[in-house]
Amino acid sequence: MTLLLGALTIGLLLAMLAFGVYLSFRIFNFPDITAEGSFTLGASVCAVLLLAGCEPLLATGAGFLAGFVAGALTGLLHTRFSINGLLSGILVMTALYSVNLHVMGKSNVPLMSVRTLLTDMEQLAGFLAQGAPTVQLGPWEVSTRDLAALGGGFALVCIVGFALHWFFRTNLGTAMRATGDNAQMIRALGVNTDRVLILGLALSNGLIALSGALLAQYQGFADVQMGIGMVVWGLASVIIGEALVGTATLGFLITGAVMGSVLFRLLVAVALRWGLDPNDLKIVTALFVFLALVGPRWMRKLRAPRASAAEGAR
Amino acid sequence: MLELRDVRRTFHPSTPNEVRALQGVSIDLQPGSFLIIIGTNGSGKSTLLNAVAGTFFVDSGTIRLAGHDITRWPEHRRAALIGRVFQNPFSGTAPNMTIAENLALAARRGQPRGFGPALDRRVRQEFRDRIRTLNMGLEDRLDNAIGSLSGGQRQALTLLMATWRKPDLLLLDEHTAALDPKSADQVIRLTDELIRRDRLTTLMVTHSMQQAVNLGDRIVMMHRGQILHDLQGPDRSRARPEDLLSRFEQVRRREQMDANVAALLQRSYV
């Protein structure tokens, strides 16, 4: 049960990553690799501030802001200096590796015995459960602490999800979606598409850094390596979400990203439980995204010759 | 209203692909006038429109519109003054967004875009009433993606979007060229109606001589990046499609003659 709750919680925290990846890859069609650096950046900035005794909510917000700046930088490189989008992201990501080491001062910062959002949530849950270490949830006996983390994650995802849903329907958010859909058109309607792209990438990386900050607090440490493979991870979540609920409306897309993230984390937890070598996790993730991208095309090809043969027979 | 002074633009200068697209074009357009630009392929008529819209900056010359010198204004800034419809029906709308969202984007052309909601009940009712006048049955499909519409429907909507806030200048770039004859007819009727109703200052590029003589109050014929003929007033009212075609034929003959004369001279002198 603890394993399941843990996977659910991490899935929820990584849903912010899925939002960010969705924003850059799907809305702008911009392959933004900055994420790998900004995820760690959010975690390291947050961790260092927490160690300094900063209010957890503020430290988490600072993580978001750090990612926001990193994303804006990538956007700036791409628009002002016309550097290829992928390369802009790679440049910032590479630079961020050094930045992260400097922020943390070493490659790993443990957050043991430090006040974090997690300990705050646990305290709140302990208060609500009147100090009971476990709570009866239907047929299951669940640890209050696990439940606290899950509840906190769920609340945060709801807040961020609703905020995004609101933002994308404002005038600015609509213009942002249009920039990804048809830049020529929205320029002809008076929108500075460069500026919108910078803002969009900033927001995307802010969300990804937020995800990193939350994960660091949940797992109790920030590590300079923790961002590796996060773009593919986020993509996998987005793809699963789209397959699950479709892309009909904004609400579906956002819910889909959350569900995709949770489901993917659950799948990974199950695979690890069944004896998947943790070292193989990244290659399995990459293979999964590869199949999800290519699979539909193969299916069409497999179907197409038969369809044309049938027409020929007629 | 619109004032072009000796506008020049060369693409890929000093390379084998050099194209002198605009070679000193000057035009004065009075408020409320409707100018039609015709010309051979590659004559620079679409380039002229793009130069006004700000797709690129001109090499020299000045462009003034509605009292502003917009020569160095970026495209999105000019959009506050200019409404545009493109040749490709796919260019003027965001295909994955709904009809209502596209209209909402157009309703704020050139306005600051903040955190106000793009759509609300009142705005949607306004959109519905307005597109009912198109008689295309789109008023019940406000929440459908634009990508599901036909080219003609898209162009009609783009036209509505370009003129939603009255523009100081309307640019139409062969906006019926990619449509079937029936849709083209429909879009042209709508164009005429909108321009008359709001007395819009308009610059329209077309390859249809019929459209050129039926619409507008002035015809400019371009060739090789320059203005060859400028028909206004009585000349314009007398113009028939055949006259325009014969002028094209003259240009073509002269073009051929250049080559023939060169061949002749070569034989005699080289």
Side-chain angles (χ1 to χ4, degrees):
Chain A
M1 202 60 206
T2 302
L3 187 80
L4 178 71
L5 287 185
L8 278 175
T9 309
I10 294 183
L12 286 174
L13 300 184
L14 290 180
M16 321 278 180
L17 167 76
F19 291 154
V21 169
Y22 173 77
L23 187 53
S24 54
F25 274 74
R26 282 291 193 258
I27 290 193
F28 287 115
N29 212 357
F30 186 100
D32 183 24
I33 305 296
T34 321
E36 310 241 322
S38 50
F39 189 82
T40 317
L41 182 68
S44 55
V45 166
C46 178
V48 165
L49 285 175
L50 285 173
L51 280 177
C54 178
E55 188 67 31
L57 213 53
L58 279 181
T60 311
F64 172 87
L65 276 183
F68 192 88
V69 173
L73 207 62
T74 303
L76 216 60
L77 286 182
H78 177 59
T79 54
R80 285 292 136 80
F81 304 104
S82 2
I83 297 173
N84 168 290
L86 193 56
L87 186 58
S88 318
I90 292 176
L91 289 179
V92 175
M93 175 193 80
T94 308
L96 281 180
Y97 194 83
S98 300
V99 172
N100 289 330
L101 280 174
H102 274 294
V103 169
M104 296 195 285
K106 49 190 172 182
S107 61
N108 187 302
V109 172
L111 289 172
M112 297 306 157
S113 62
V114 178
R115 204 185 132 214
T116 64
L117 278 183
L118 180 67
T119 59
D120 281 5
M121 281 311 296
E122 283 171 356
Q123 221 167 21
L124 180 68
F127 173 73
L128 289 177
Q130 284 144 358
T134 60
V135 179
Q136 201 65 32
L137 206 69
W140 300 292
E141 199 171 343
V142 183
S143 142
T144 317
R145 298 182 54 170
D146 291 345
L147 215 54
L150 183 64
F154 186 72
L156 271 170
V157 163
C158 284
I159 292 170
V160 174
F162 276 112
L164 281 178
H165 190 246
W166 164 79
F167 172 71
F168 281 130
R169 300 189 319 164
T170 62
N171 285 309
L172 181 62
T174 314
M176 189 175 277
R177 285 190 291 141
T179 301
D181 205 13
N182 185 347
Q184 180 185 27
M185 165 257 195
I186 195 68
R187 259 199 306 276
L189 293 176
V191 170
N192 185 344
T193 47
D194 284 357
R195 206 180 295 168
V196 171
L197 179 70
I198 294 172
L199 180 67
L201 289 182
L203 187 60
S204 156
N205 281 286
L207 289 168
I208 291 165
L210 174 65
S211 187
L214 294 173
L215 186 68
Q217 294 178 68
Y218 179 73
Q219 64 186 15
F221 65 88
D223 188 278
V224 76
Q225 307 274 6
M226 68 192 282
I228 294 176
M230 279 307 163
V231 169
V232 176
W233 186 287
L235 259 183
S237 309
V238 169
I239 291 171
I240 294 179
E242 286 175 347
L244 280 180
V245 296
T247 57
T249 67
L250 265 177
F252 277 25
L253 284 167
I254 291 172
T255 330
V258 177
M259 286 170 64
S261 175
V262 169
L263 187 67
F264 190 61
R265 181 62 224 187
L266 279 177
L267 286 175
V268 166
V270 169
L272 289 174
R273 188 70 185 276
W274 280 353
L276 175 73
D277 184 348
N279 288 338
D280 292 337
L281 200 53
K282 304 283 187 210
I283 195 171
V284 170
T285 315
L287 273 176
F288 174 83
V289 171
F290 169 75
L291 286 176
L293 292 176
V294 179
R297 209 177 311 157
W298 281 351
M299 296 295 276
R300 261 200 306 275
K301 251 188 205 158
L302 279 176
R303 247 176 250 151
R306 245 178 279 155
S308 55
E311 266 165 38
R314 232 178 277 149
Chain B
M1 181 52 99
L2 175 70
E3 184 187 310
L4 303 182
R5 281 279 160 277
D6 195 29
V7 168
R8 289 169 190 275
R9 170 73 204 213
T10 303
F11 292 110
H12 318 294
S14 23
T15 69
N17 296 327
E18 182 177 282
V19 180
R20 292 195 194 162
L22 296 175
Q23 304 186 49
V25 175
S26 300
I27 293 178
D28 269 296
L29 207 55
Q30 296 309 312
S33 62
F34 183 174
L35 170 67
I36 307 250
I37 306 175
I38 55 177
T40 46
N41 282 333
S43 60
K45 49 195 194 307
S46 285
T47 311
L48 183 67
L49 235 58
N50 288 335
V52 174
T55 312
F56 51 81
F57 288 138
V58 295
D59 297 334
S60 66
T62 56
I63 306 172
R64 294 182 61 83
L65 177 60
H68 305 279
D69 182 350
I70 62 168
T71 316
R72 304 306 298 174
W73 284 20
E75 190 178 359
H76 61 87
R77 190 168 169 209
R78 297 187 198 190
L81 308 172
I82 298 176
R84 274 166 91 185
V85 183
F86 303 92
Q87 176 176 0
N88 185 342
F90 293 97
S91 300
T93 46
N96 293 315
M97 299 175 76
T98 65
I99 295 178
E101 285 171 334
N102 272 277
L103 287 171
L105 289 165
R108 295 194 74 80
R109 179 173 55 79
Q111 306 284 100
R113 292 167 204 261
F115 295 106
L119 290 167
D120 58 32
R121 194 186 293 269
R122 192 184 55 76
V123 171
R124 293 174 63 91
Q125 191 54 49
E126 193 188 336
F127 290 168
R128 195 171 292 128
D129 293 344
R130 212 36 204 283
I131 58 175
R132 187 168 285 131
T133 62
L134 292 179
N135 282 325
M136 287 180 165
L138 294 178
E139 57 275 13
D140 302 322
R141 299 172 63 184
L142 272 187
D143 291 316
N144 287 25
I146 290 251
S148 65
L149 305 186
S150 72
Q153 290 172 325
R154 279 181 170 210
Q155 267 330 46
L157 267 181
T158 311
L159 202 54
L160 208 58
M161 285 164 62
T163 55
W164 195 274
R165 298 175 56 80
K166 188 184 172 199
D168 290 281
L169 176 68
L170 178 63
L171 298 179
L172 306 171
D173 187 2
E174 298 198 46
H175 65 306
T176 61
L179 304 180
D180 61 84
K182 192 161 160 267
S183 311
D185 218 46
Q186 220 172 357
V187 170
I188 281 298
R189 246 180 293 139
L190 179 67
T191 308
D192 197 36
E193 199 181 296
L194 287 172
I195 291 174
R196 274 175 206 276
R197 195 195 60 193
D198 288 342
R199 292 196 41 74
L200 297 171
T201 315
T202 308
L203 216 58
M204 168 168 155
V205 169
T206 182
H207 57 244
S208 154
M209 298 306 128
Q210 202 60 51
Q211 286 178 9
V213 294
N214 288 348
L215 296 164
D217 48 28
R218 181 173 165 193
I219 300 175
V220 156
M221 189 168 152
M222 287 188 70
H223 182 63
R224 294 196 162 184
Q226 285 175 324
I227 292 179
L228 208 61
H229 300 290
D230 187 348
L231 304 178
Q232 311 187 45
D235 288 345
R236 158 67 187 89
S237 348
R238 276 199 298 273
R240 298 277 168 275
E242 304 80 59
D243 306 336
L244 297 176
L245 281 173
S246 77
R247 286 182 196 238
F248 271 114
E249 187 60 22
Q250 278 172 24
V251 170
R252 201 179 60 81
R253 286 227 189 96
R254 200 169 62 193
E255 220 58 336
Q256 270 180 348
M257 195 153 70
D258 285 353
N260 289 340
V261 169
L264 198 73
L265 290 175
Q266 197 177 22
R267 233 174 290 145
S268 318
Y269 295 101
V270 181

